Amino acid sequence: MEPRWPKWYRDDDLSVSLQGVAADTISHLADLGRTVTLLEIYDCPDLMAGSLEPLTRCPKLEWLTLSGGVPDAVSLEPLTRCPELRWLSVTPADLPRLRGQLPEGLVFLNVRGLEVTEPSWPGRYGNDGLSVSLQGVAAADTISHLADLGRTVTVLDIYDCPDLTAGSLETLTRCPELWVITLSGGVPDTVSLEPLTRCPELRDLTLSGGVPDTVLDILSGCPELRWLTLGDLQRPAETAFTAAAYTRLVKSCRELWALYLHCTADTTRAVLTALKEADLGRDSNGRPRTISLWVPGELYRQLRSQGGDGVEVEKWKDSEEDSEKDSEEDSE
């Protein structure tokens, strides 16, 4: 068996990974004479009742990964007595068992299928709520458990979930304070995004992969939307919406002010022209609307001088190379 090293390191603290070891091994961690802040447990099917109790003797434990699932005989209740636990990764089978047993200070929760080897943590922090990421699992019953955890879920990132269904998204309406949603990897054509229009607090939405006009027309029913990210930086041609559909969405979502685009250069230029020519009206406070259009560095250098008429062109996710080019151009 190849060693799996901990993925996180911080000075003066100890990061630990356990692979295929006996259950009582966990009990020795608190006696090593060093502060254990990260623990990853892999391939340990012989965990038994009380196996996680010693974690309460690691008072600075911040990061815990339970890979492969926890046997039913093992209680997750000791996690509630880990006061510094902020990051927790579990399998879908463990999720319903966390109902009412989440650590009070938990901020990031990752739920991943058994075939997923590395957790992708939520990309945002949800203020006083819980930020959740799902990987390789998007079944309706998995998402439905989020509303029953006893904590307010405010951020949800769904990665690599080709089995996403309309029923899966319907369950999001049971998380009434969900304000950030990321659907990464594309949404199947058979799945309607209509349930998102019934998430009353939805402010920030990211859709990667193909985004046709029909999707944009549906999203026009999200009145509180403020930030919208569309497309795939690696495959911009898959983002197949038209400038006309994009303009309809902007005019309908009157609180929308920041648009992030990963699409072809021609589509981006068409969107910029259409927004400048459209009557975007006023926001809910009666002020003339200004839209920030964020584009990748190369397009930004081509379009930044073409803003105006209520549209500001901004640069999104500039790389070090982009920053150097911009500095050179600004100095000329």
Side-chain angles (χ1 to χ4, degrees):
M1 178 185 299
E2 293 294 326
R4 300 189 64 167
W5 297 100
K7 303 301 185 297
W8 185 59
Y9 168 75
R10 192 168 66 190
D11 291 343
D12 301 324
D13 295 331
L14 191 63
S15 298
V16 179
S17 62
L18 304 180
Q19 294 175 257
V21 299
D24 60 359
T25 303
I26 299 176
S27 66
H28 298 302
L29 298 181
D31 304 319
L32 292 176
R34 292 279 301 279
T35 300
V36 176
T37 55
L38 178 144
L39 175 60
E40 298 174 346
I41 301 178
Y42 299 104
D43 309 317
C44 298
D46 61 340
L47 291 178
M48 60 188 68
S51 291
L52 299 184
E53 184 68 29
L55 297 181
T56 62
R57 296 175 55 226
C58 300
K60 299 294 183 67
L61 183 65
E62 296 182 26
W63 192 311
L64 176 62
T65 294
L66 299 173
S67 181
V70 178
D72 293 340
V74 180
S75 173
L76 300 179
E77 185 276 334
L79 302 185
T80 65
R81 290 179 279 124
C82 295
E84 297 299 320
L85 192 58
R86 300 290 184 267
W87 308 72
L88 176 62
S89 179
V90 299
T91 67
D94 301 325
L95 190 59
R97 300 173 57 203
L98 288 171
R99 183 174 182 175
Q101 299 197 88
L102 285 178
E104 183 177 350
L106 194 69
V107 176
F108 297 101
L109 175 65
N110 168 256
V111 183
R112 67 186 198 268
L114 296 178
E115 72 284 355
V116 180
T117 58
E118 298 296 336
S120 289
W121 298 96
R124 297 281 296 277
Y125 169 58
N127 299 323
D128 295 328
L130 187 65
S131 297
V132 179
S133 62
L134 304 180
Q135 289 177 270
V137 54
D141 57 351
T142 299
I143 297 178
S144 69
H145 291 309
L146 300 181
D148 303 321
L149 290 175
R151 289 281 300 281
T152 300
V153 176
T154 55
V155 175
L156 176 61
D157 294 347
I158 301 179
Y159 300 111
D160 308 318
C161 297
D163 60 340
L164 192 70
T165 66
S168 300
L169 296 183
E170 183 67 32
T171 57
L172 294 180
T173 60
R174 298 185 57 228
C175 299
E177 297 186 44
L178 190 60
W179 70 279
V180 179
I181 298 177
T182 296
L183 300 176
S184 180
V187 177
D189 293 339
T190 57
V191 176
S192 171
L193 297 185
E194 185 277 334
L196 300 186
T197 67
R198 289 181 279 118
C199 294
E201 296 299 320
L202 181 59
R203 303 284 200 275
D204 190 327
L205 176 63
T206 297
L207 298 175
S208 68
V211 184
D213 283 6
T214 53
V215 168
L216 295 189
D217 288 336
I218 289 173
L219 295 180
S220 295
C222 297
E224 297 301 319
L225 202 60
R226 287 160 169 75
W227 301 272
L228 178 62
T229 303
L230 296 177
D232 191 320
L233 184 61
Q234 305 303 319
R235 298 181 296 274
E238 292 184 3
T239 309
F241 58 79
T242 65
Y246 207 87
T247 304
R248 288 197 299 271
L249 176 122
V250 173
K251 294 176 70 172
S252 175
C253 299
R254 307 195 69 80
E255 298 301 320
L256 189 63
W257 66 273
L259 310 171
Y260 298 78
L261 285 186
H262 279 158
C263 55
T264 64
D266 288 344
T267 299
T268 303
R269 291 190 184 95
V271 166
L272 175 58
T273 299
L275 291 178
K276 290 170 62 177
E277 294 177 350
D279 178 8
L280 300 180
R282 298 176 178 270
D283 61 22
S284 58
N285 295 316
R287 297 171 298 202
R289 296 178 67 191
T290 298
I291 299 295
S292 295
L293 184 64
W294 296 74
V295 299
E298 185 62 35
L299 271 177
Y300 169 74
R301 287 187 287 276
Q302 300 174 28
L303 301 178
R304 60 181 172 179
S305 63
Q306 299 180 29
D309 297 324
V311 183
E312 298 176 349
V313 180
E314 307 284 356
K315 181 174 60 176
W316 182 26
K317 288 190 176 181
D318 53 334
S319 64
E320 183 176 346
E321 180 181 355
D322 287 334
S323 299
E324 291 176 355
K325 289 182 179 179
D326 291 337
S327 298
E328 291 173 359
E329 292 177 6
D330 289 339
S331 64
E332 292 178 356

